[in-house]
Amino acid sequence: MNPIHQVSALRVDSNPFMRGYHSLAIERLLQITYDNYCPPCLRPLHHSQAHLSVDELQLLSCVFNDDFALISEGQSIPDELDDRCQSIGQVRQVIYSVIGERLSQKHHVGDLYSLEEAQTVIRHLSFETGHYSRSWEISTAHLPAEAMSYLQERVSNEPKLTGLFFELFTLPDCDGIGCKLIGTPWTDEHLLKIDSGSYLSLRQQQLDAGTPEALVKVLYLAALADVRMLIFDPWASVLPGLEVFNEQP
C-alpha cells in the first residue's frame, strides 16, 4: 500500500470535508472620512453607544482611534473615552459586515447597507432548511485493503453496534458501505458536553476496538466537518485533498 497524499488525523487546516463558512455573524461598522488625502476607514461603534439608530449615526461628527469610534455630535462622551480618541471625522455610511469562520479563522464575507440585507445573506448561507454537506459519498480508494476488509467483515452478517460514535450499514443495490457518524462534530468541546471525554480518548477507544487507523483518520475529518452520513463506494469519485491508497500487487 502506497499512500499518495499524507493527511494527519489531527490537522484541521486542510480538511477536504470542510465546506463554506460557519459561525456567521454581523458586525455594524461606521465608514468614516477624516482627511481629503486619505481613504475612508471603518470602525466599530463603541459599545456604550450601541443603542444608537442609523439616523443617530449617519452624517454626524465622530471621534475615533484604531479600535472604535464614538459619535460626538449631540452625544455626551466620558472624558476617559474622549482622551483615547485622537482623530476626528464624519460618519458617511453605516455598514453591516458579515463575518464567517472557516478552519478556525475569521473571514470577511461581505458588506451590506442594512441589517435586514445582512440577515438575509446569513440566512441564505446558513441553509436553514438543512445542513450543507452532511452526507458524502467518496471512493473506497481512500481506504487501504485492511480498512476495507474491516468494513466488509463488520457488515457481512448481522451488523453489530460499535458503540464508538459510528455505526455501519450496507447498501444492497451497490457495493458501497455506509457509515452513520454520531455526536458530530468531534471536537473536544462538543464531545465533553455529550460524553465527558476528549477526541483523543474517543480515538484511542476506536483503535483499541480494532478499528484500522486509516479509517479512524477519515471518520475524524468527516466528523470534524459535521458530516453525518459517509458512504464508501468503489464507483464514487475521489475527494481531492484526502489521502488515496494505491494498491500494489
Side-chain angles (χ1 to χ4, degrees):
M1 292 177 290
N2 178 29
I4 297 175
H5 302 290
Q6 294 295 327
V7 179
S8 171
L10 298 179
R11 285 186 61 187
V12 297
D13 58 340
S14 59
N15 188 347
F17 288 100
M18 290 288 188
R19 290 291 187 270
Y21 298 104
H22 60 91
S23 301
L24 291 162
I26 299 171
E27 183 177 11
R28 186 166 69 161
L29 300 174
L30 306 181
Q31 184 187 67
I32 301 169
T33 56
Y34 58 98
D35 190 304
N36 291 335
Y37 300 99
C38 295
C41 66
L42 296 175
R43 294 291 185 273
L45 187 64
H46 190 269
H47 63 81
S48 64
Q49 294 186 345
H51 62 281
L52 297 179
S53 67
V54 173
D55 292 338
E56 295 173 297
L57 301 172
Q58 202 97 302
L59 302 179
L60 296 182
S61 299
C62 67
V63 294
F64 64 96
N65 57 25
D66 290 341
D67 300 317
F68 59 83
L70 286 156
I71 299 299
S72 56
E73 186 175 341
Q75 301 293 330
S76 177
I77 301 176
D79 291 340
E80 61 270 20
L81 288 178
D82 193 33
D83 292 341
R84 293 171 59 186
C85 299
Q86 303 301 318
S87 300
I88 300 174
Q90 186 177 39
V91 177
R92 294 296 180 179
Q93 182 73 52
V94 178
I95 292 175
Y96 295 85
S97 184
V98 176
I99 307 296
E101 288 188 19
R102 174 168 166 75
L103 301 175
S104 301
Q105 293 184 341
K106 289 188 175 182
H107 294 267
H108 174 248
V109 178
D111 294 326
L112 288 304
Y113 296 104
S114 75
L115 178 60
E116 292 74 18
E117 289 177 319
Q119 290 171 335
T120 298
V121 167
I122 286 184
R123 186 165 60 251
H124 290 166
L125 292 177
S126 300
F127 292 91
E128 286 191 343
T129 56
H131 293 267
Y132 186 68
S133 298
R134 300 199 93 181
S135 297
W136 284 74
E137 182 184 62
I138 63 174
S139 172
T140 53
H142 292 301
L143 295 176
E146 175 197 8
M148 282 306 304
S149 296
Y150 168 86
L151 291 177
Q152 291 163 352
E153 182 179 347
R154 292 285 308 189
V155 300
S156 59
N157 298 313
E158 185 68 26
K160 297 180 180 179
L161 296 179
T162 68
L164 298 171
F165 278 52
F166 71 90
E167 303 300 342
L168 304 173
F169 57 92
T170 58
L171 299 170
D173 294 334
C174 69
D175 296 325
I177 296 176
C179 181
K180 164 69 174 173
L181 298 174
I182 300 168
T184 63
W186 288 355
T187 61
D188 285 346
E189 180 182 6
H190 187 68
L191 290 173
L192 286 169
K193 288 180 181 178
I194 62 176
D195 195 52
S196 301
S198 66
Y199 168 69
L200 289 179
S201 175
L202 173 61
R203 179 178 185 273
Q204 193 59 52
Q205 291 177 39
Q206 293 171 342
L207 293 173
D208 291 345
T211 312
E213 185 176 3
L215 177 59
V216 170
K217 289 181 180 181
V218 174
L219 296 184
Y220 171 67
L221 291 174
L224 201 60
D226 210 9
V227 173
R228 289 297 178 88
M229 292 290 182
L230 182 60
I231 296 172
F232 297 98
D233 191 318
W235 305 106
S237 300
V238 167
L239 178 60
L242 187 62
E243 186 174 7
V244 174
F245 290 85
N246 181 22
E247 302 295 338
Q248 300 293 336

